Amino acid sequence: MLGLKNVKTTMIAAALVAGTVATSLPATAQESIYVPLFTYRTGPFSGSGIYIAEGMRDYLEMLNQRDGGIGGVKLALEECETGYDTKKGLECYEAVKDKKPVVINPWSTGITLPLIPRASVDKVPVLSMAYGLSAAAIGDTFPWIFNPPATYWDGASMILTYIGGKEGGMDKLKGKTIGYIYLDAGFGKEPIPLLEQMAKDYGFNLKLYPVAATEMQNQSSQWLNVRRDRPDYMVMYGWGALQPTAVKEAVKIGYPMDKFVSIWWPSEDDAAAGGPQSKGFKALNWHAVGDNFPAIADIKKFVTDKNLTQTDKSHIGKVLYNRGIYNSMLIAEGIRNAQKLTGKKVITGEDMRRGLETLNIDAARYKEMGLEGFAGPVKLTCADHNGHFATYMQEWDGSKYVKVSGDIKPNMDKVSPLLNAAAKEYTDKAGSWPRRTEACDKAS
């Protein structure tokens, strides 16, 4: 485990890599709103993490350069390199928490889980965007945790809904075999209870193919088992090196790629890893791919063209780069909303929680942000910190992702009971759990 001195050194190094020291940190904390960014530009998960780190930081830096920040206050941006390692992530948290951050972005389910009980003590909201503990969607129970726009359980139900639609109805899943290849960690294990319940309800056979984090690039045994079991569909919850390796192995055994469906994390590089034969691979998404948006044009104008970042310009507009933009858009809108609610320019973590709980980003607001058509509306409440919003299915056509479905809504009849049960189980195990005591603001 790294010492705090080494963590600070890592933060400085990451900031230098991203070009943030001179351009992102205002002279004093009183003049700024502190937004730490937990990132992983190195290690076995960097193939995914680099894109997200670039998009996340570039959007916020664009607001600093173009608008002078948010509401006339600059954003103090500081990266801490976690390597997607839970111990390093918790050390990053210790290094930043006394600087009064308005939000924490763990960018790892493993880092998110131990921060959940600490958020209410330290009064800092945690934004685990479409990852982390699915039950944290229940804001009445987890008032400091936010995980829009959809949970991993939502995603699993949406994938099965899509598969059911391809087969002619959910009843047609009876007797089918669905394989599930996943990172053998909190992230990958999360959807298993829902998948097991839906297998029981709809009569399909569920085959599990766990992949240890140390074996992400060595999946030959799992895919030999897939070849033996011959599942009708394969579902993947992967990250980092697991994803391109899975695509290559699927191609290698001749698995039909149009039957291989993933949760929303594979990049274009991942999809292309199997060469021309990987055409047909699918993944969920909830936002646009591409750079044809005024806000992204402003990122180029005010940030990348001025060399205020180390972003690879070929990454701009790619699916995970845009995922980082979406994450930072939520942060920025939460800050803006908190300023409006409180009348303050420099907000606190408690103010930020109020801002996130009353987020109401509609089509008109997307247009004002220069992101018209980028994603669907986002509306959160004190009770619902997720929204359980629809996604769509995108397919790899050999050179890019293309949209191949309409909106796919989560099956909340299946998801909600499990979410409620998981939230109760969590708080029962925790014993004395800090429930909400503050009144809720009305959405603006």
Side-chain angles (χ1 to χ4, degrees):
M1 186 170 181
L2 295 175
L4 193 57
K5 180 178 179 181
N6 288 337
V7 173
K8 291 180 178 179
T9 301
T10 302
M11 292 176 69
I12 293 169
L16 288 169
V17 168
T20 61
V21 172
T23 62
S24 296
L25 298 177
T28 66
Q30 289 76 18
E31 298 171 0
S32 65
I33 295 171
Y34 180 53
V35 182
L37 305 175
F38 289 11
T39 58
Y40 36 97
R41 296 174 182 264
T42 63
F45 297 91
S46 62
S48 303
I50 288 171
Y51 284 95
I52 287 171
E54 290 172 341
M56 187 163 56
R57 183 189 171 277
D58 287 355
Y59 182 81
L60 296 175
E61 186 60 42
M62 181 271 287
L63 296 180
N64 272 345
Q65 298 298 322
R66 186 191 69 185
D67 304 335
I70 299 173
V73 182
K74 279 282 187 88
L75 305 175
L77 309 177
E78 187 172 30
E79 289 191 36
C80 188
E81 171 67 33
T82 72
Y84 198 77
D85 179 82
T86 298
K87 289 182 180 180
K88 290 181 181 179
L90 294 178
E91 289 173 343
C92 283
Y93 181 76
E94 290 298 324
V96 306
K97 73 173 185 177
D98 292 335
K99 299 181 183 182
K100 301 187 183 305
V102 296
V103 68
I104 296 294
N105 301 263
W107 272 109
S108 157
T109 294
I111 298 171
T112 299
L113 295 179
L115 292 183
I116 289 174
R118 301 184 62 170
S120 61
V121 176
D122 296 332
K123 307 292 186 187
V124 182
V126 173
L127 176 61
S128 55
M129 186 206 68
Y131 62 90
L133 181 70
S134 291
I138 303 174
D140 289 335
T141 304
F142 300 93
W144 291 89
I145 315 301
F146 298 82
N147 57 2
T151 72
Y152 281 143
W153 289 359
D154 296 331
S157 77
M158 288 186 275
I159 288 173
L160 292 176
T161 295
Y162 177 80
I163 292 172
K166 299 299 285 185
E167 290 295 317
M170 295 298 287
D171 61 308
K172 298 297 192 297
L173 295 182
K174 186 175 182 179
K176 300 287 186 184
T177 297
I178 295 178
Y180 178 56
I181 189 162
Y182 62 97
L183 181 64
D184 193 13
F187 153 54
K189 294 176 181 177
E190 251 253 334
I192 292 176
L194 178 68
L195 293 171
E196 291 175 337
Q197 183 62 52
M198 294 186 76
K200 180 179 177 181
D201 293 344
Y202 293 108
F204 63 84
N205 302 308
L206 178 66
K207 294 284 187 180
L208 302 181
Y209 306 98
V211 180
T214 55
E215 299 295 322
M216 291 190 299
Q217 293 176 293
N218 182 24
Q219 299 175 34
S220 57
S221 63
Q222 285 89 347
W223 287 94
L224 285 173
N225 290 337
V226 170
R227 185 167 66 180
R228 177 198 65 203
D229 298 336
R230 302 181 67 179
D232 297 282
Y233 289 89
M234 283 294 294
V235 176
M236 178 169 68
Y237 271 53
W239 194 228
L242 188 155
Q243 297 177 134
T245 303
V247 171
K248 285 187 285 189
E249 290 290 343
V251 168
K252 184 177 177 180
I253 69 164
Y255 190 81
M257 296 305 289
D258 63 337
K259 302 293 181 68
F260 192 6
V261 186
S262 178
I263 195 65
W264 38 68
W265 294 122
S267 69
E268 288 86 349
D269 293 342
D270 298 333
Q277 290 82 14
S278 61
K279 182 178 179 181
F281 172 74
K282 296 176 178 66
L284 291 178
N285 196 1
W286 67 82
H287 57 74
V289 178
D291 62 357
N292 190 27
F293 296 92
I296 296 181
D298 283 345
I299 287 175
K300 295 176 182 178
K301 178 179 178 180
F302 291 98
V303 181
T304 59
D305 288 351
K306 292 186 176 181
N307 296 317
L308 298 178
T309 176
Q310 292 298 309
T311 291
D312 182 331
K313 292 182 180 180
S314 70
H315 292 179
I316 298 173
K318 297 294 180 67
V319 62
L320 293 185
Y321 182 91
N322 286 8
R323 188 73 44 81
I325 288 177
Y326 184 93
N327 186 89
S328 286
M329 179 272 296
L330 294 177
I331 295 172
E333 291 304 288
I335 292 171
R336 194 183 311 277
N337 204 29
Q339 290 174 329
K340 182 178 179 181
L341 284 170
T342 63
K344 301 177 183 177
K345 287 190 173 183
V346 179
I347 65 165
T348 66
E350 292 172 279
D351 300 328
M352 181 66 166
R353 186 185 74 163
R354 294 175 62 190
L356 290 171
E357 285 189 325
T358 50
L359 272 185
N360 188 8
I361 307 171
D362 58 13
R365 179 58 190 150
Y366 275 112
K367 186 174 182 178
E368 290 173 354
M369 289 188 288
L371 291 170
E372 183 176 11
F374 184 75
V378 179
K379 187 173 184 179
L380 305 182
T381 67
C382 290
D384 184 0
H385 282 193
N386 180 270
H388 307 286
F389 299 109
T391 64
Y392 68 89
M393 193 65 69
Q394 60 186 12
E395 180 177 289
W396 184 245
D397 73 354
S399 62
K400 63 184 182 301
Y401 277 123
V402 294
K403 186 176 181 178
V404 293
S405 81
D407 285 349
I408 308 171
K409 296 180 180 180
N411 187 339
M412 297 309 294
D413 289 341
K414 302 296 182 184
V415 171
S416 290
L418 290 176
L419 285 176
N420 291 324
K424 184 178 186 304
E425 181 182 6
Y426 186 100
T427 55
D428 286 349
K429 286 183 178 178
S432 178
W433 184 252
R435 306 237 175 208
R436 168 179 293 282
T437 57
E438 303 83 3
C440 288
D441 293 293
K442 292 183 179 180
S444 56

